[in-house]
C-alpha cells in the first residue's frame, strides 16, 4: 500500500528521520564491537558497511530529505572507541543539507561537561544522543545533573534511548549490559528537574511503552519516536496514542542502517494513519522539535 501523503514537494523530499547511525565501520565495527555483532547474529542482519552517498540516495528515493546523524561514546562502559564528535561534524559539514548532527558524550568521563560545550560551541552540533544501556549509567542519578543543566543552557535537544536493547543479545550476561538503564522512568526525573531541556525518547520503549506514554503525556518537554521497530511490531497502545493524545509529539525514525527507510515507510503505510497524522509524524513534529 502507498502512503496517501505526498512525500515530495517542489523543494524535494520532506520526511525527516530522527534516528540514523553511520553505515560505516566507525559505528558498525569500532564503536559497535562484539555487542553489535551479537545483535546482528540474532536478527540475521549483516554488518556490511556502505557510503554516505548511497545512504543519502536511498533516503532521497524514499521521500526522506533530512536525517539526524547520531554520535556514540560508550567507551568507559564497553571499552569500544567512540564515534568521535569531530567525525560527526565532518560528515555533517560534507552533507549539510541532509544531515543534522547530534554529538555524544560519555557521562562516565570526567570531561563530559566540557565536551558537551565543545560539541555545540565549536562543532555546531545540534543536539545530543545518549544510549544509557551501552553507556552504563542512570540518567536520574544526581551526579549527572551538571551535564543536563549544561545541555539545557546550550538550548539543544537531547535523544535518550528508550527500552530494551539488542546489543549483546543472547551473549552470556548480555556482555554485561544492564537493560534497566533503558527504563524511561529514569528520564522522567531529568525532565522534571530540567523543564527547558527538550527530550526525545527514542524507540517504542519495550517493555516500558506505558511508562513512556505516561511521561510523554504528562511532561511538556518530552517527545518520542518510532525508530528501531518495524511498524507492524509496534505496540497497539503506542499507535493509539500516536493517533490521539500524542499526535504532536510522535516522530518518524528508522535506526539506520539496522532498519532502512523503504521497508519502514511501507510498513507505516499499512497502518493506515490519515494524511494529517502522516504529515505530523513524518516531518512536521520533527521540524518543530529540531527547529529545522
Ligand atoms: Zn539507534
Amino acid at each position: 500500500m502507498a502512503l496517501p501523503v505526498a512525500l515530495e514537494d517542489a523543494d524535494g523530499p520532506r520526511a525527516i528521520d530522527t534516528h540514523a547511525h553511520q553505515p560505516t565501520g566507525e559505528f558498525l565495527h569500532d564503536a559497535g564491537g562484539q555487542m553489535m555483532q551479537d545483535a546482528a547474529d540474532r536478527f540475521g542482519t549483516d554488518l556490511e558497511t556502505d557510503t554516505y552517498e548511497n545512504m543519502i540516495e536511498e533516503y532521497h528515493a524514499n521521500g526522506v530529505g533530512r536525517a539526524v546523524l547520531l554520535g556514540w561514546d560508550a567507551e568507559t562502559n564497553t571499552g569500544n572507541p567512540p564515534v568521535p564528535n569531530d567525525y560527526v561534524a565532518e560528515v555533517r559539514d560534507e552533507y549539510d543539507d541532509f544531515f543534522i548532527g547530534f554529538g555524544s558524550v560519555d557521562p562516565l568521563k570526567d570531561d563530559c561537561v566540557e565536551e558537551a560545550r565543545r560539541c555545540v560551541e565549536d562543532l555546531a552540533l545540534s543536539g545530543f544522543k545518549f544510549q544509557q544501556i551501552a553507556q552504563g549509567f542512570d540518567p536520574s542519578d544526581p551526579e549527572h545533573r551538571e551535564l543536563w543543566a549544561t545541555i539545557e543552557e546550550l538550548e539543544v535537544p537531547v535523544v535518550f534511548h528508550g527500552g530494551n536493547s539488542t546489543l549483546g543479545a543472547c551473549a552470556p550476561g548480555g556482555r554485561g549490559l544492564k537493560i534497566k538503564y533503558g527504563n524511561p522512568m529514569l528520564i522522567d526525573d531529568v525532565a522534571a528537574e530540567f523543564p527547558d531541556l527538550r527530550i526525545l525518547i527514542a524507540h517504542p520503549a519495550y517493555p516500558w511503552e506505558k511508562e513512556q506514554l505516561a511521561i510523554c503525556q504528562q511532561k511538556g518537554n518530552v517527545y518520542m519516536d518510532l525508530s528501531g521497530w518495524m511498524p507492524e511490531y509496534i505496540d497497539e497502545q503506542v499507535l493509539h496514542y500516536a493517533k490521539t493524545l500524542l499526535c504532536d509529539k510522535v516522530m518518524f525514525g528508522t535506526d539506520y542502517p539496522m532498519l532502512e527507510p523503504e521497508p519502514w515507510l511501507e510498513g507505516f503505510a499499512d497502518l493506515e494513519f490519515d494524511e494529517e497524522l502522516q504529515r505530523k509524524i513524518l516531518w512536521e513534529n520533527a521540524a518543530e522539535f529540531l527547529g529545522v
Side-chain angles (χ1 to χ4, degrees), residues 70-237:
L70 304 165
W72 185 278
D73 188 351
E75 190 169 16
T76 307
N77 192 48
T78 63
N80 298 341
V83 176
N85 293 316
D86 294 87
Y87 175 73
V88 175
E90 232 169 77
V91 174
R92 184 270 328 268
D93 286 345
E94 200 169 337
Y95 308 98
D96 67 344
D97 53 356
F98 184 76
F99 287 124
I100 299 156
F102 270 38
S104 175
V105 300
D106 181 342
L108 304 183
K109 287 183 181 172
D110 289 339
D111 70 344
C112 65
V113 170
E114 293 78 51
E115 178 63 6
R117 222 172 252 298
R118 192 182 77 87
C119 280
V120 176
E121 292 173 351
D122 297 349
L123 300 177
L125 291 171
S126 305
F128 291 94
K129 160 74 190 294
F130 292 92
Q131 214 293 10
Q132 309 89 288
I133 297 173
Q135 291 176 316
F137 80 104
D138 172 354
S140 71
D141 190 316
E143 75 174 289
H144 304 302
R145 277 207 191 110
E146 191 189 351
L147 180 57
W148 312 138
T150 301
I151 297 175
E152 184 181 49
E153 185 198 317
L154 290 166
E155 295 183 338
V156 294
V158 46
V159 172
F160 282 107
H161 176 87
N164 188 17
S165 175
T166 58
L167 296 170
C170 296
R175 303 276 167 211
L177 302 181
K178 296 175 181 170
I179 65 173
K180 68 178 178 183
Y181 295 132
N183 189 330
M185 272 305 174
L186 305 174
I187 303 166
D188 188 59
D189 286 28
V190 180
E193 289 165 28
F194 301 92
D196 293 324
L197 183 63
R198 283 175 299 135
I199 295 171
L200 171 54
I201 303 177
H203 322 305
Y206 174 85
W208 301 290
E209 292 99 333
K210 285 184 180 165
E211 285 87 335
Q212 175 181 35
L213 295 171
I215 297 163
C216 288
Q217 189 267 114
Q218 200 267 339
K219 296 284 184 305
N221 52 328
V222 182
Y223 300 73
M224 65 175 285
D225 73 28
L226 300 176
S227 66
W229 289 78
M230 284 299 284
E232 64 197 285
Y233 298 118
I234 295 174
D235 183 88
E236 275 302 323
Q237 200 167 13

Side-chain angles (χ1 to χ4, degrees), residues 19 21 129 203 255:
H19 197 110
H21 298 278
K129 160 74 190 294
H203 322 305
D255 210 3

